[in-house]
Amino acid sequence: MFFIRDGIQFPDVVHALKPNPKTNIQEYWRILDYMSHLPESLLTWCWMFDDVGIPQDYRHMEGFGVHTYTLIAKSGKVLFVKFHWKPTCGIKNLTDEEAKVVGGANHSHATKDLHDAIASGNYPEWKLFIQTMDPADEDKFDFDPLDVTKIWPEDILPLQPVGRLVLNRTIDNFFNETEQLAFNPGLVVPGIYYSDDKLLQCRIFAYGDTQRHRLGPNYLQLPVNAPKCAHHNNHHEGFMNFMHRDEEVRLSTPLELPLLVFLLGIKILIWFVLFTDQLLPLKV
């Protein structure tokens, strides 16, 4: 789950979580003051201040896709889906007092624990589970399944095991393989697509813009971000481009232009729908 369900509140959430802009001191009152105006944030707050709020380390913590995506079968059948990572070594957490001792002794304790475990051959492992829902059942619940501030009850929509992740080696260069890593929910593989989750729709656009600003327009050419399988696209030039292409530049054909215009129109329409309520008060 997450604090907000509306993407236009993202900047304000970030500002509330950052230190005091005048003193650079981290203060809870600013966070609580802002969140008190967002009753939908209560579930996330309950989770944060519960016993699971402070993970012991990376090996003993869960991972969540947060948003609702869709699975698309070859037959065309569509299902809503949520992704969950469950550590096979169990979930362990720290109390406030334990966190002060552990973090005070070594602020990189979680990273060191992960590194030492892999180096000793005790490879961390997570099982991948999914929850699925037929879009036809979306309105049959007493909550909005596409509301990112809600969770899907596991007794109604059970977890289904589909895979696992094993970390069997450490990285060789932190900057190349971690610092330049560019996560983006807008990048999906065939068979997985988006849903009408409002916050996801905003992130699809915002994260790509962020990575282009941070790493440059060709950030997807960096080895840590590039596809591992054979691929082809029409990307050319741009700052820090290092993909060798010896074919002639192929501009959009007349048949492709209407499609490009259509996609641009869809993007504008999505933003209009998402932000209409916020823009209407600005009209004279």
Side-chain angles (χ1 to χ4, degrees), residues 28-224:
Y28 262 118
W29 72 261
R30 182 178 299 95
I31 303 172
L32 294 171
D33 177 66
Y34 179 71
M35 296 301 174
S36 67
H37 298 283
L38 302 174
E40 65 268 27
S41 68
L42 182 59
L43 180 58
T44 304
W45 276 107
C46 290
W47 185 276
M48 288 179 59
F49 285 93
D50 192 62
D51 292 339
V52 298
I54 308 177
Q56 175 179 294
D57 48 60
Y58 299 128
R59 292 188 299 124
H60 296 90
M61 66 184 293
E62 298 176 281
F64 305 95
V66 180
H67 293 288
T68 300
Y69 288 82
T70 56
L71 294 178
I72 305 178
K74 289 184 177 179
S75 63
K77 181 176 176 56
V78 176
L79 291 175
F80 287 148
V81 62
K82 278 184 175 286
F83 298 97
H84 303 262
W85 292 103
K86 302 289 185 180
T88 58
C89 57
I91 301 171
K92 295 182 180 180
N93 303 281
L94 300 174
T95 64
D96 284 348
E97 294 305 316
E98 290 172 336
K100 292 176 183 177
V101 174
V102 175
N106 181 2
H107 66 83
S108 298
H109 68 93
T111 301
K112 186 177 188 304
D113 173 85
L114 186 64
H115 180 277
D116 292 348
I118 296 174
S120 66
N122 182 22
Y123 301 137
E125 178 181 338
W126 288 261
K127 293 293 181 64
L128 176 62
F129 294 83
I130 61 173
Q131 288 176 288
T132 59
M133 178 193 301
D134 191 325
D137 297 333
E138 180 181 353
D139 297 326
K140 296 181 180 180
F141 300 92
D142 59 357
F143 66 95
D144 182 0
L146 302 184
D147 184 344
V148 75
T149 65
K150 304 293 189 295
I151 59 175
W152 290 6
E154 295 179 10
D155 57 336
I156 301 175
L157 302 164
L159 295 174
Q160 307 169 55
V162 295
R164 66 177 186 145
L165 169 69
V166 179
L167 298 183
N168 58 9
R169 73 172 183 88
T170 56
I171 59 177
D172 299 318
N173 185 295
F174 180 82
F175 183 83
N176 286 348
E177 299 180 76
T178 299
E179 190 69 23
Q180 293 190 117
L181 190 63
F183 290 102
N184 182 354
L187 302 176
V188 293
V189 297
I192 300 178
Y193 203 64
Y194 321 115
S195 73
D196 291 335
D197 176 340
K198 288 186 177 181
L199 196 61
L200 174 60
Q201 290 292 332
C202 291
R203 280 178 157 161
I204 288 171
F205 299 115
Y207 277 57
D209 291 343
T210 297
Q211 304 300 1
R212 281 185 285 272
H213 173 76
R214 185 171 72 93
L215 298 170
N218 288 300
Y219 74 95
L220 290 177
Q221 293 183 20
L222 294 171
V224 72

